Amino acid sequence: MAGTETCESKKRKHEEDNEDKAISVLQTFKLVKVLKEDTAKKFVAVEGRIPSESGTGDEDGNNKAVLLLEKKPFAVDSIEDLLNSGNTKLTFVNDCYSNYQLSSSKPLHDIKVSLINPATEKHIMKFMEQECFIIHETAEIHKTITLPVIEKQRLAVEWVYNILDKKAEVDKVVFEDPDPENGFMLVPDMKWNGTEIESLYLVVLVHKRSLKCIRDLDQSHLPLLKNILKQCPRIIFEKYGLPPCKLRMYCHYEPSYYHFHVHINNIKFDCPGREFLRAYSLSDIIDNIEMKNNYYQEKTLSILVAENSLLYKELKSAGHI
Ligand code: M7G
C-alpha cells in the first residue's frame, strides 16, 4: 500500500515538474513576426524563437515556434460579477447610449494560448496569412502531383499516435472503440477548452493507421464510417447533452494531418475550416461511397491551395494554375 502511494506521489511530482517546465518555456518566447491576425475573432498567430533544449536549434541555439492567442468566449452566467470586478471608465454617453472601458481582473478575460515548439516551416505556413487559389483536383492531379507533394512534405502525425498509444491526452479521452479495423478514439479537439458546449469541438481518430484521408475511402470502410456516425452522436449526447441534430460531422480535404479523422462540432460554433471548400459531411461521404465504390478515387475535388506552398509551385509548373 505504502509502495503504491510512493509510486503515485512520484508520478504526480513528475507531472508537476513537466507542467512547470512547459510554463517556463512559454516565458522564454521571443516574438519574430505576426503570421495572421483576426480582430473580429480576437485571434492572433505569431512566429517566434524559443531556446532549444536539445541543441537542435539554429546557430543561436533557438527553435522556431508558433504561438496562437485567442480571447475566450464570455461566460454569460458571470456577467454580473464581471460588471463589478474591476475599474470601469465611462468613455461615451449620448441620450440612452453609453460606452465603458472595463478593466477586469476576472478570469472571464483569460486567453487561450497554444504553442507549437519546435515548429517546422509547414507549421509556420499553416498559420500564415496567404493568398489562396481554388484548384479542381482531378484523380490524375491527385496521383501525379498532390500525392508526391504530401509524401515529401506532410505534417507529422506523432500527436495522433501519442493519443492512440495512450501516451498523451489519456485523461481527456471521451470514448474508445478499440477494434483495429472499425474502432476509433473520440477526444476533445485542442481548439476546444472542453467545457463550453456552445463551442463544443471533438475529433475522431481512427485506429487504422493506413487510412490517410477521404481519397482512400471505399466500400470496405463503410463499417468504420457508419460506426463513427452511429456511436459518436450518442456518446456526445450522453456526456454533453447536445443532441445529434446539433452536430456537424465532417472531414477536411485537404486535411493538415494525414491520419484519417472526423471533426465534430456544435453547429452554433463559427469554427474555422467548416467552409464548403474544405468540409465534407460524413453522412454525404457514406452516401457517395454506397452509390459508387471508388467515388473518392475518381471524383474531382476542389481544394484551396496557398501561394507559398510546394503544392502551388508544382501545380503552377504543370500548368494547372
Ligand atoms: P485537419 O483537418 O487535419 O487540419 O484537422 P486543420 O488543423 O487545418 O483543421 C486536425 C484537427 O486536429 C484540428 O481540428 C486540430 O485542432 C486538431 N489537433 C491538432 N493537434 C496537433 C492536436 C492535438 O495535439 N490534440 C488534439 N486533441 N487535437 C489536435
Side-chain angles (χ1 to χ4, degrees), residues 40 42 105 146 200 226 247 312:
K42 316 269 185 297
S105 53
T146 317
L200 177 137
K226 287 184 177 178
L247 296 175
Y312 177 87

Side-chain angles (χ1 to χ4, degrees), residues 137 142-143 146-147 150-151 154 157 206 208-218 221 224-225 250-263 278 280 282 285 289 295-297 301 303:
E137 188 201 52
H142 178 71
K143 226 180 331 163
T146 317
L147 270 184
I150 296 165
E151 284 310 319
R154 68 172 148 220
V157 289
V206 299
K208 199 176 166 73
R209 297 193 183 195
S210 57
L211 263 189
K212 306 291 181 216
C213 67
I214 60 170
R215 281 277 188 208
D216 296 334
L217 299 173
D218 60 31
H221 305 111
L224 166 67
L225 301 174
Y250 57 92
C251 300
H252 276 157
Y253 190 76
E254 289 189 306
S256 299
Y257 301 96
Y258 279 84
H259 174 99
F260 184 71
H261 57 275
V262 179
H263 299 251
R278 272 193 90 201
Y280 290 80
L282 179 63
I285 293 174
I289 298 174
Y295 184 92
Y296 286 102
Q297 288 78 57
L301 298 173
I303 55 173

Side-chain angles (χ1 to χ4, degrees), residues 189-242:
D189 191 283
M190 72 177 280
K191 289 205 262 290
W192 188 41
N193 63 11
T195 50
E196 276 125 25
I197 302 302
E198 298 276 303
S199 55
L200 177 137
Y201 199 146
L202 296 120
V203 62
V204 178
L205 306 170
V206 299
H207 277 301
K208 199 176 166 73
R209 297 193 183 195
S210 57
L211 263 189
K212 306 291 181 216
C213 67
I214 60 170
R215 281 277 188 208
D216 296 334
L217 299 173
D218 60 31
Q219 283 171 4
S220 68
H221 305 111
L222 283 173
L224 166 67
L225 301 174
K226 287 184 177 178
N227 192 24
I228 295 170
L229 188 70
K230 187 169 166 220
Q231 298 220 59
C232 293
R234 176 184 55 79
I235 296 151
I236 290 172
F237 183 58
E238 280 167 15
K239 185 163 167 87
Y240 302 105
L242 196 63

Side-chain angles (χ1 to χ4, degrees), residues 14-29 50 53 67 113-115 117:
H14 182 67
E15 282 168 6
E16 280 169 12
D17 286 350
N18 280 346
E19 269 177 36
D20 288 348
K21 218 162 122 191
I23 290 170
S24 61
V25 162
L26 204 58
Q27 287 152 358
T28 63
F29 183 88
I50 283 182
E53 287 203 338
L67 199 65
V113 180
S114 303
L115 175 69
N117 174 43

